[in-house]
Amino acid sequence: MSKFGLLISNEWRKQFKKKTVWVFLILTIVASLGFGLIFGAIESLDYDFEYKPSTTFAEDCDSEIEYYQVALEATIARKDSYMTEEEYQDEVDYFENAIAQWTFYKSLGIETWSDWRFSSGFAEELWNIKDEVSDAKFQEYLNGFKSKNIETYYRIAFADDYAQVVKDDRETANVWFADYCIEYNVIPTRNDWRYGLLLAASDAYASALSLERQQSLGFPIDESTLQKKHDAVTLATYRVENDIAALPSDSLTAYMGTSILEPYSGETSLFWDISVMELYLVSVIAIFILVLAGTIVANEYTSGTIKFLVLSPVKRWKILAAKYVTVLILGVMLLAGVFVSGLLCGLIFNASGARLVNVSVVNGVVKTSSPYLMILKQYLLSGVKILVIASLSFALSSICKNNALAIAASLGCYYLGNTILTIGQLFRLDFLRYSIFANMDFSAVVNGTTGFPHHTLACAIISVVLHMAVFLLTAWDGFTRREM
Amino acid sequence: MDTILKIEHLTKSLGKREILHDISFETYGGEVFGFLGPNGAGKTTTIKVLVGLLLLDQGTVSICGYDLKKDFENAIKNVGGIVENPEFYKYLSGYENLRQYAKIQGVGEDRIREVIHLVGLENRINDKVSKYSLGMRQRLGVALSLLHRPKLLILDEPTNGLDPAGIKELRDILTNLAHEENISVVVSSHQMSEMELMCDRVGVIVAGELKSVQPISELVASVAHDKCEKIFRVDAPERAAQILSENGFEDVTVTENSVNVLFDKASEDEITAKINRLLVHGDISVFNIADKENRRLEDVFIELTQREGGDQIV
Ligand SMILES: Nc1ncnc2c1ncn2[C@@H]1O[C@H](COP(=O)(O)OP(=O)(O)OP(=O)(O)O)[C@@H](O)[C@H]1O
Ligand SMILES: [Mg+2]
């Protein structure tokens, strides 16, 4: 083995002979597995849970009718107390109408409240048009209702849109939506993931139409916005046509609200939900890595063992580099451990989610990508933050020979960085945009949540690279030049 | 005898203070060199420079012919040593500690066993260092310094914490190493008696200056044997002392029942007789005349190192 390899293996042995290191490693594994298992269990329980009312829909209709009956009788009994005949009549009409309406609902043969024909407003629509259409037509609708015919629903619900001879953008989009739902038999309820998805798509459809019309009239428009609207529609129809209920990216978007990914557009998958939740454990690992980086050099000074270490024919910078690499390896191992625990727990609760592929549409072209890479990217982004602060910790412990200081300072920077930024912004200290706190969280920079306007990723990367260079040079300088 | 360590005009400042002033000496293979000096004299500082823990300001140090400044790696390959207390990874066993160092030095298993045997730690080598006594740590330190077969072995106060048997063992180990394996051993200490038994030559350092470098026997002789002290047991010590000082004797001390007189060893008998006559003439009863015990080595050391400085640490 090379000298450098030997140095690393020495560091490795030293770390793994310490009880504290073992305790932390085991805690990390227990925490990440436990976290995933508990989260998965709770979520799965939720899926199984269904509210079972003790009464049937018909019984509920009866009690509604009874209620209005009582109210009606009370009104009749208090007839004299009304100022005018008209007011009295209005009141009586209202109650009679309500009684008739609930009687009608009861006659429709609905079994539960959650029947889509009731929750979507189908029954109400039917009641409303009762007197407006011919009896034959109404009978046809009624039959459609009873046979749970989806087309009937959309025809009634979007009747106005269908009826327009010259349609505006919204009406065109609605007709497109209704036709599409009829074609793919989309049940108008949130329980059918396609319904919400297509509703959102119809908004995009309308916006696209409006943009195109502006364009044809010679107004300047944002081409990329138009393209995005088209892409949203393409993605939605692609998913409906290929029956892709859940996208792994939706799990990420739903939990993290990051615009690195497309907006949340449908169902999440428990498999990926768990993996995303595990990302929160990264800040726990950060403690360990920061402590390790802050002690691995300083401990040699406090224990006095540095004397033997430097009294050897090995260049000092190599000793230092071996320590840094050891921290890096341990950090990556811990991150990988959390990542893998997330996947394992996901497999336990929702194995099918593991096969999900992320679908996106870019410039009209449907693309599939691996969600594993996507979540790995998230881990890497969080890893950058740890790496930066660990380097700071490393540098401090190398120049101050004091682990307490290095640990305190780096934990402070890691956990209070955002607070410092917020306070700085209160005092309008715009130069803080160049500080490490504003730049080390790449996802915040991309999302524009750092609080500084015009903060670009390129600027953040340059800042981070410069800071890292300063930290590592300081560590190197402190360790190699210093007299012991 | 080949020169192993050669120091020329070494000067070193720490902060604003100049700790070492123009130190020059050589050590040879096959000898144990004692580096003697009181607290704060600069022994540790010198050793730190030799092992590369401190940089030298001025002067040159060469080890086995390699310049410490220009050719650090080659020079330091030939050095093994302990600076101040030997410190180890307390959570590792003695063996693990040796292994850590052996790996960097490119030393095999056999050699580890060899040095463990040499310092007599075989029974306890697998215990955690946190459970070692100070003496055991000293032994482990020596073992560790010897791992890579250095030509120059530097030990900073290695007898610190060793029991008499341990000191004797260490002495035997070191003399053996020097005489059998032709290593140059440098041992710092402020204990003359140890030095006398262990060292072939001694360099005395006081307040950062090297006073002398000479064989131990010469050193002891040079200070101890130019004067002698006699004890006169008398009935009236006070009066006796007065008579003697009136007659030109300067180093006179009075005790309860005697006067002690220090004078040149050269004319010992004549002066003893003269003092006796003076006392008798002065009507003082002299009961007994005795040699004060040979002046102890520690006194020599104190005389050597603090002749000018008073008793304050410099
Ligand atoms: N880091 C330092 N900065 C400034 N002065 C120092 C430093 N280290 C030691 N000294 C001073 O250097 C002088 C020599 O110290 P050194 O440790 O070499 O003495 P020593 O001969 O080893 O003494 P001892 O027998 O007590 O071990 C002392 O006066 C000490 O105060
Ligand atoms: Mg010392």
Side-chain angles (χ1 to χ4, degrees):
Chain A
M1 225 193 302
S2 70
K3 267 271 157 65
F4 194 61
L6 287 172
L7 284 174
I8 292 180
S9 88
N10 264 355
E11 291 301 327
W12 203 252
R13 291 185 82 85
K14 273 186 262 179
Q15 294 306 328
F16 281 91
K17 286 280 173 175
K18 284 186 202 159
K19 281 205 192 75
T20 45
V21 171
W22 279 105
V23 167
F24 201 94
L25 284 183
I26 292 170
L27 274 183
T28 311
I29 293 168
V30 169
S32 48
L33 280 178
F35 192 53
L37 289 176
I38 291 170
F39 179 76
I42 291 172
E43 289 289 305
S44 316
L45 276 183
D46 262 350
Y47 286 127
D48 295 341
F49 185 78
E50 210 171 288
Y51 175 65
K52 294 225 170 59
S54 53
T55 51
T56 65
F57 184 76
E59 282 166 355
D60 289 332
C61 288
D62 282 341
S63 48
E64 291 285 338
I65 293 166
E66 201 184 315
Y67 168 79
Y68 288 115
Q69 200 74 53
V70 172
L72 180 62
E73 276 159 23
T75 306
I76 293 169
R78 290 188 290 121
K79 187 182 175 197
D80 296 341
S81 64
Y82 283 92
M83 300 280 286
T84 64
E85 179 72 13
E86 256 167 62
E87 273 180 7
Y88 167 73
Q89 204 52 52
D90 278 355
E91 199 89 327
V92 170
D93 286 350
Y94 174 76
F95 289 128
E96 281 179 341
N97 188 45
I99 291 165
Q101 192 175 357
W102 282 102
T103 316
F104 173 71
Y105 289 162
K106 192 186 167 187
S107 72
L108 288 175
I110 298 169
E111 270 156 24
T112 63
W113 286 88
S114 54
D115 189 321
W116 67 265
R117 292 172 303 172
F118 189 77
S119 62
S120 67
F122 194 3
E124 199 177 342
E125 294 273 3
L126 213 52
W127 169 257
N128 290 341
I129 60 168
K130 198 159 124 52
D131 302 323
E132 291 164 18
V133 295
S134 64
D135 278 358
K137 197 78 186 160
F138 184 73
Q139 200 53 47
E140 186 194 323
Y141 287 157
L142 200 57
N143 289 340
F145 186 94
K146 292 203 168 139
S147 60
K148 303 192 177 175
N149 187 320
I150 281 164
E151 180 168 1
T152 315
Y153 165 75
Y154 287 107
R155 291 277 174 217
I156 297 173
F158 293 94
D160 289 348
D161 303 299
Y162 278 116
Q164 295 297 330
V165 181
V166 181
K167 296 181 170 64
D168 67 10
D169 299 331
R170 185 69 248 180
E171 285 153 359
T172 317
N174 283 350
V175 168
W176 169 82
F177 170 73
D179 283 345
Y180 199 88
C181 288
I182 292 164
E183 187 182 349
Y184 284 92
N185 206 24
V186 177
I187 302 169
T189 157
R190 289 278 166 188
N191 287 343
D192 190 334
W193 60 271
R194 298 172 301 174
Y195 184 69
L197 183 62
L198 288 169
L199 262 184
S202 78
D203 287 342
Y205 194 98
S207 312
L209 283 179
S210 136
L211 282 169
E212 276 167 350
R213 202 158 36 75
Q214 287 174 31
Q215 195 176 29
S216 67
L217 291 175
F219 292 107
I221 62 150
D222 185 1
E223 288 282 347
S224 70
T225 313
L226 177 60
Q227 188 60 53
K228 274 194 191 124
K229 301 290 176 194
H230 280 309
D231 289 347
V233 176
T234 314
L235 179 60
T237 52
Y238 181 89
R239 283 176 67 183
V240 171
E241 280 151 33
N242 293 279
D243 198 23
I244 303 172
L247 284 187
S249 60
D250 282 346
S251 296
L252 273 174
T253 319
Y255 282 103
M256 315 205 86
T258 53
S259 66
I260 294 178
L261 311 155
E262 286 104 28
Y264 175 58
S265 53
E267 303 246 306
T268 65
S269 118
L270 185 54
F271 181 87
W272 292 103
D273 286 352
I274 292 175
S275 279
V276 170
M277 287 310 275
E278 293 276 351
L279 268 171
Y280 289 108
L281 277 183
V282 169
S283 2
V284 181
I285 301 178
I287 301 178
F288 176 75
I289 298 175
L290 297 187
V291 169
L292 183 69
T295 53
I296 196 164
V297 179
N299 274 357
E300 299 279 359
Y301 286 103
T302 37
S303 70
T305 44
I306 189 79
K307 289 183 292 188
F308 282 123
L309 207 55
V310 296
L311 211 170
S312 57
V314 181
K315 292 221 163 58
R316 282 198 199 170
W317 69 263
K318 279 193 185 164
I319 298 173
L320 188 73
K323 288 181 179 296
Y324 191 68
V325 170
T326 305
V327 175
L328 290 189
I329 296 177
L330 264 169
V332 169
M333 270 180 46
L334 282 173
L335 280 178
V338 174
F339 179 53
V340 171
S341 326
L343 296 184
L344 281 180
C345 295
L347 278 178
I348 294 173
F349 292 103
N350 175 228
S352 61
R355 283 193 304 274
L356 287 184
V357 175
N358 203 35
V359 182
S360 60
V361 177
V362 182
N363 294 332
V365 185
V366 178
K367 285 190 177 144
T368 54
S369 59
S370 164
Y372 295 94
L373 288 180
M374 201 168 63
I375 200 132
L376 217 53
K377 190 169 123 195
Q378 291 296 324
Y379 274 93
L380 285 182
L381 288 179
S382 347
V384 168
K385 186 171 171 186
I386 301 180
L387 177 70
V388 172
I389 308 254
S391 306
L392 170 69
S393 186
F394 195 73
L396 284 176
S397 98
S398 163
I399 50 169
C400 307
K401 306 174 178 177
N402 182 327
N403 49 23
L405 180 93
I407 293 169
S410 56
L411 285 182
C413 286
Y414 187 83
Y415 291 101
L416 300 179
N418 284 336
T419 315
I420 294 171
L421 278 188
T422 315
I423 294 172
Q425 278 157 359
L426 278 183
F427 294 100
R428 302 191 183 284
L429 303 175
D430 191 61
F431 66 86
L432 278 178
R433 70 162 62 229
Y434 304 109
S435 73
I436 194 65
F437 308 123
N439 292 294
M440 63 191 173
D441 193 347
F442 283 172
S443 37
V445 174
V446 173
N447 295 334
T449 55
T450 56
F452 296 104
H454 315 300
H455 200 167
T456 63
L457 188 60
C459 156
I461 291 175
I462 291 173
S463 167
V464 162
V465 168
L466 286 181
H467 276 92
M468 289 283 292
V470 170
F471 294 156
L472 293 182
L473 280 176
T474 314
W476 172 77
D477 189 67
F479 197 74
T480 53
R481 294 251 187 98
R482 190 141 302 216
E483 301 193 315
M484 306 288 163
Chain B
M1 278 198 300
D2 33 333
T3 307
I4 301 283
L5 169 67
K6 186 168 184 175
I7 302 178
E8 286 172 308
H9 308 297
L10 168 62
T11 300
K12 175 72 197 169
S13 300
L14 286 174
K16 288 204 181 81
R17 288 189 54 194
E18 192 173 298
I19 310 284
L20 301 175
H21 322 279
D22 193 19
I23 290 185
S24 306
F25 65 89
E26 287 180 15
T27 70
Y28 311 104
E31 70 162 6
V32 179
F33 183 87
F35 202 40
L36 195 63
N39 289 139
K43 303 182 295 291
T44 301
T45 308
T46 311
I47 290 174
K48 278 186 173 174
V49 171
L50 296 186
V51 299
L53 287 176
L54 291 178
L55 304 173
L56 61 164
D57 298 346
Q58 281 166 41
T60 53
V61 172
S62 72
I63 295 159
C64 292
Y66 298 108
D67 188 286
L68 188 65
K69 214 166 190 174
K70 294 182 195 126
D71 205 354
F72 181 80
E73 307 235 322
N74 277 322
I76 213 73
K77 253 182 217 164
N78 292 299
V79 184
I82 306 175
V83 183
E84 291 178 319
N85 300 320
E87 322 254 15
F88 303 95
Y89 303 106
K90 294 210 170 60
Y91 49 87
L92 298 182
S93 68
Y95 184 79
E96 277 286 347
N97 268 290
L98 289 177
R99 237 183 75 131
Q100 285 264 327
Y101 199 57
K103 270 204 214 163
I104 323 180
Q105 295 281 11
V107 167
E109 197 84 355
D110 298 347
R111 178 63 183 166
I112 301 183
R113 290 283 159 210
E114 216 172 296
V115 292
I116 293 170
H117 179 76
L118 191 70
V119 298
L121 263 182
E122 270 165 331
N123 293 331
R124 300 292 301 275
I125 198 65
N126 289 319
D127 288 7
K128 289 236 165 78
V129 170
S130 56
K131 295 181 184 151
Y132 279 16
S133 69
L134 180 56
M136 288 160 78
R137 289 211 297 275
Q138 288 285 13
R139 286 162 194 254
L140 188 61
V142 173
L144 198 142
S145 324
L146 284 172
L147 266 178
H148 57 295
R149 301 175 192 276
K151 295 300 285 174
L152 174 63
L153 178 65
I154 307 177
L155 304 175
D156 194 6
E157 304 187 18
T159 53
N160 187 6
L162 291 184
D163 56 15
I167 292 178
K168 186 179 175 315
E169 268 175 53
L170 179 71
R171 203 164 62 215
D172 293 345
I173 292 170
L174 294 185
T175 28
N176 242 337
L177 282 171
H179 300 162
E180 311 274 305
E181 301 194 21
N182 217 29
I183 289 178
S184 166
V185 179
V186 175
V187 179
S188 88
S189 177
H190 40 233
Q191 301 218 301
M192 263 303 257
S193 48
E194 271 170 21
M195 295 269 109
E196 193 189 19
L197 292 170
M198 206 187 293
C199 301
D200 302 308
R201 284 191 312 140
V202 179
V204 178
I205 180 170
V206 180
E209 280 175 52
L210 196 65
K211 292 283 176 191
S212 65
V213 179
Q214 52 194 318
I216 184 83
S217 48
E218 275 179 30
L219 177 73
V220 173
S222 71
V223 193
H225 297 303
D226 59 343
K227 298 244 176 186
C228 71
E229 193 167 9
K230 297 269 172 184
I231 303 169
F232 293 84
R233 198 145 70 75
V234 291
D235 58 349
E238 297 284 343
R239 210 149 45 82
Q242 199 188 339
I243 293 168
L244 289 176
S245 46
E246 277 163 14
N247 285 279
F249 289 94
E250 280 167 3
D251 287 329
V252 181
T253 43
V254 181
T255 71
E256 218 173 282
N257 55 3
S258 69
V259 281
N260 303 353
V261 192
L262 188 73
F263 49 85
D264 275 350
K265 203 179 171 90
S267 40
E268 184 180 351
D269 291 351
E270 293 153 47
I271 296 178
T272 312
K274 186 182 169 198
I275 293 173
N276 190 30
R277 265 200 309 280
L278 280 170
L279 292 178
V280 172
H281 278 286
D283 205 14
I284 287 172
S285 314
V286 177
F287 307 129
N288 182 305
I289 304 175
D291 277 329
K292 180 153 184 188
E293 226 179 278
N294 238 351
R295 297 183 60 214
R296 291 190 20 245
L297 283 162
E298 296 312 318
D299 300 334
V300 177
F301 174 70
I302 289 168
E303 184 155 335
L304 261 176
T305 55
Q306 297 203 337
R307 228 176 272 166
E308 301 127 38
D311 57 359
Q312 292 300 306
I313 288 187
V314 272

